């Protein structure tokens, strides 16, 4: 496996002023690992431009190890640290008791030898009860106070439930959301607890694109709330012939590309247990559009995707060099509320090199699209909506 990679790309985290590397690091596999392993994983990541890291793990030992690794390099990483992530006997747990939340958050600062955490994440907002306890209690106020005093630079939340996550986004408190995204989860009805299904023999869901998940991503983009992604690889199940719900396994690159092509997504946080696994994730930077293309995998589900753009860009090349997926994406977001399109969405659209108005209706894209998307019509709609 190559240890040289193309340059990292970065995306802005909403209006926070921070920009995240599109490949980030999940650190859950560093639990119970020695310093040398954590140093190899985090060191390899930093050396290759990864600057985004999630750290929810329980146990003072692993927090202290990571603190040692980051000594002298703290400013190289944007850290997501969680408010409400706790442990019982080094086993991961969560709390909605403010005193307990404070104790663990302050412990995280101490273990990392730092006086700030970039993104203070309201932990595991999956149920109605989680939402009420956190957003209608003292915990959200604690996060807001931390932000005011500069101990955190942004407020985030983590969730696996699209309905509850959307409610959290609509409070207007959040700068970012960590959400579980992969093509299989995107077919899971919002009533399903996707985490329960990670234990199943076969990782399978309905063959329907869940409208609540699709809507969440668009609402995030519309509200300027960035998404960082967990479970990008479906705990590895999407890579396995035995467990995938699709007709063939996906590659790491295809899974990462699927997540990165959802609206609002800025970074995919890949859990790595070795430097080699960091390099495998970084390999995404080196592969071309053909290798990233996931449309051949998810087209099993084309009945429900029919007419809806999945932003895969399988329809390229366009003779007018239009980025068809991006035009469709901003059209979908703008169409959520045509009378009040956020200026950021208009700006993203107008900054594209080519626009809907450049379409010459040659129809080549429509011949290639596996999902029967009416691209020519969409290009016209986008031109009318954004005026170009
Ligand atoms: S129009 Fe079709 S092929 Fe093109 S990006 Fe959308 S879904 Fe993919
Ligand atoms: S129909 Fe329009 S968008 Fe599609 S390939 Fe032709 S010029 Fe490009």
């Amino acid at each position: 496996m190559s240890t040289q990679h193309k340059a990292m790309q970065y995306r802005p985290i909403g209006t926070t002023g921070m920009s995240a590397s599109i490949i980030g690091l999940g650190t859950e596999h560093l639990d119970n690992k020695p310093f040398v392993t954590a140093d190899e994983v985090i060191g390899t990541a930093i050396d290759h431009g990864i600057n985004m890291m999630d750290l929810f793990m329980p146990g003072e030992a692993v927090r202290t190890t990571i603190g040692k690794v980051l000594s002298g390099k703290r400013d190289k990483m944007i850290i997501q640290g969680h408010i409400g992530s706790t442990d019982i006997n080094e086993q991961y747990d969560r709390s909605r008791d403010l005193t307990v939340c404070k104790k663990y958050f302050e412990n995280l600062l101490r273990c990392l030898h730092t006086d700030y955490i970039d993104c203070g994440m309201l932990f595991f907002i999956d149920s109605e009860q989680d939402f009420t306890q956190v957003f209608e209690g003292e915990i959200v106020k604690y996060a807001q106070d931390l932000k005011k005093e500069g101990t955190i630079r942004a407020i985030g939340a983590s969730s696996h439930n699209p309905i509850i996550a959307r409610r959290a986004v609509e409070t207007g408190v959040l700068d970012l959301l960590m959400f579980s995204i992969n093509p299989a989860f995107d077919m899971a009805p919002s009533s399903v607890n996707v985490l329960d299904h990670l234990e199943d023999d076969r990782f399978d869901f309905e063959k329907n694109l869940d409208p609540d998940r699709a809507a969440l991503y668009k609402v995030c983009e519309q509200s300027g709330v960035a998404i960082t992604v967990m479970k990008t690889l479906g705990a590895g199940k999407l890579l396995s012939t035995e467990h995938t719900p699709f007709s063939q396994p996906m590659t790491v690159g295809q899974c990462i590309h699927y997540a990165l092509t959802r609206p609002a997504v800025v970074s995919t946080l890949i859990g790595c247990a070795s430097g080699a696994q960091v390099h495998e994730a970084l390999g995404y930077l080196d592969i071309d559009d053909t290798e990233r293309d996931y449309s051949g995998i998810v087209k099993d589900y084309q009945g429900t995707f029919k007419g809806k753009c999945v932003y895969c860009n399988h329809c390229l090349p366009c003779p007018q060099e239009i980025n068809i997926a991006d035009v469709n994406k901003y059209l979908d977001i703008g169409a959520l509320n045509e009378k009040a399109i956020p200026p950021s969405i208009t700006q993203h659209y107008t900054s594209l090199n080519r626009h809907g108005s450049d379409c010459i209706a040659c129809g080549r894209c429509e011949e290639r699209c596996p999902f029967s998307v009416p691209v020519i019509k969409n290009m016209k709609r986008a031109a009318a909506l954004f005026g170009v």
Side-chain angles (χ1 to χ4, degrees), residues 18-313:
M18 296 182 275
S19 287
S21 52
I22 58 171
I23 311 290
L25 199 59
T27 51
E28 66 273 22
H29 298 308
L30 299 182
D31 215 1
N32 297 315
K33 294 286 189 314
F35 171 84
V36 65
T37 306
D39 194 43
E40 180 193 318
V41 167
I42 296 172
T44 304
I46 290 175
D47 288 349
H48 291 84
I50 289 178
N51 74 346
M52 190 79 198
M53 180 168 117
D54 184 72
L55 212 170
F56 83 90
M57 294 166 314
E60 197 160 315
V62 62
R63 291 169 174 229
T64 304
T65 301
I66 291 176
K68 259 168 81 184
V69 170
L70 287 176
S71 173
K73 314 177 206 166
R74 168 67 189 87
D75 61 335
K76 304 281 184 214
M77 276 289 179
I78 296 170
I79 296 178
Q80 291 187 164
H82 293 256
I83 300 169
S85 167
T86 63
D87 72 287
I88 296 175
N89 301 328
E90 307 257 316
Q91 294 289 303
Y92 132 83
D93 198 11
R94 71 189 105 131
S95 172
R96 303 306 183 199
D97 180 305
L98 183 61
T99 309
V100 176
C101 291
K102 274 185 179 175
K103 181 180 127 190
Y104 277 88
F105 194 72
E106 286 162 12
N107 171 275
L108 178 63
L109 290 167
R110 265 198 310 280
C111 291
L112 295 181
H113 306 291
T114 185
D115 56 4
Y116 73 98
I117 295 292
D118 306 87
C119 306
M121 309 296 287
L122 301 163
F123 186 60
F124 213 106
I125 315 295
D126 273 20
S127 68
E128 188 73 40
Q129 190 186 31
D130 294 327
F131 180 87
T132 308
Q133 288 175 330
V134 171
F135 283 92
E136 293 171 13
E138 300 168 299
I139 295 175
V140 71
K141 169 88 173 39
Y142 173 55
Q144 287 172 310
D145 288 346
L146 287 173
K147 189 175 175 184
K148 237 181 259 160
E149 71 191 34
T151 307
I152 62 176
R153 296 160 71 187
I155 300 178
S158 63
S159 177
H160 309 83
N161 181 310
I163 306 260
I164 302 294
R166 181 169 174 172
R167 281 184 63 195
V169 168
E170 287 174 343
T171 62
V173 168
L174 303 184
D175 300 296
L176 74 160
L177 171 74
M178 179 161 75
F179 196 72
S180 44
I181 299 180
N182 62 57
F185 280 9
D186 271 356
M187 319 275 165
S190 45
S191 54
V192 161
N193 181 348
V194 286
L195 296 182
D196 288 348
H197 288 260
L198 289 178
E199 308 302 324
D200 292 352
D201 270 356
R202 192 170 171 84
F203 185 48
D204 213 349
F205 293 117
E206 302 289 320
K207 294 187 180 355
N208 287 311
L209 180 64
D210 177 54
D212 294 322
R213 291 172 201 278
L216 170 68
Y217 313 148
K218 289 182 218 164
V219 167
C220 284
E221 176 87 52
Q222 194 187 36
S223 321
V225 172
I227 299 178
T228 57
V229 179
M230 55 180 157
K231 303 283 183 277
T232 311
L233 314 178
K237 293 200 164 189
L238 292 175
L239 312 177
S240 131
T241 310
E242 188 187 349
H243 298 295
T244 180
F246 303 112
S247 57
Q248 53 183 303
M250 295 179 77
T251 63
V252 171
Q254 286 170 328
C255 292
I256 290 175
H257 197 53
Y258 181 84
L260 286 175
T261 46
R262 299 310 90 203
V265 168
V266 298
S267 186
T268 55
L269 306 169
I270 309 292
C272 297
S274 66
Q277 288 184 358
V278 178
H279 283 298
E280 190 180 10
L282 288 164
Y284 171 78
L285 301 170
D286 310 324
I287 58 176
D288 62 17
D289 287 346
T290 312
E291 289 171 281
R292 291 175 177 183
D293 187 352
Y294 49 79
S295 63
I297 312 270
V298 300
K299 80 173 169 20
D300 292 5
Y301 293 77
Q302 59 181 310
T304 58
F305 281 120
K306 196 163 185 202
K308 296 187 191 112
C309 184
V310 298
Y311 319 125
C312 63
N313 260 338

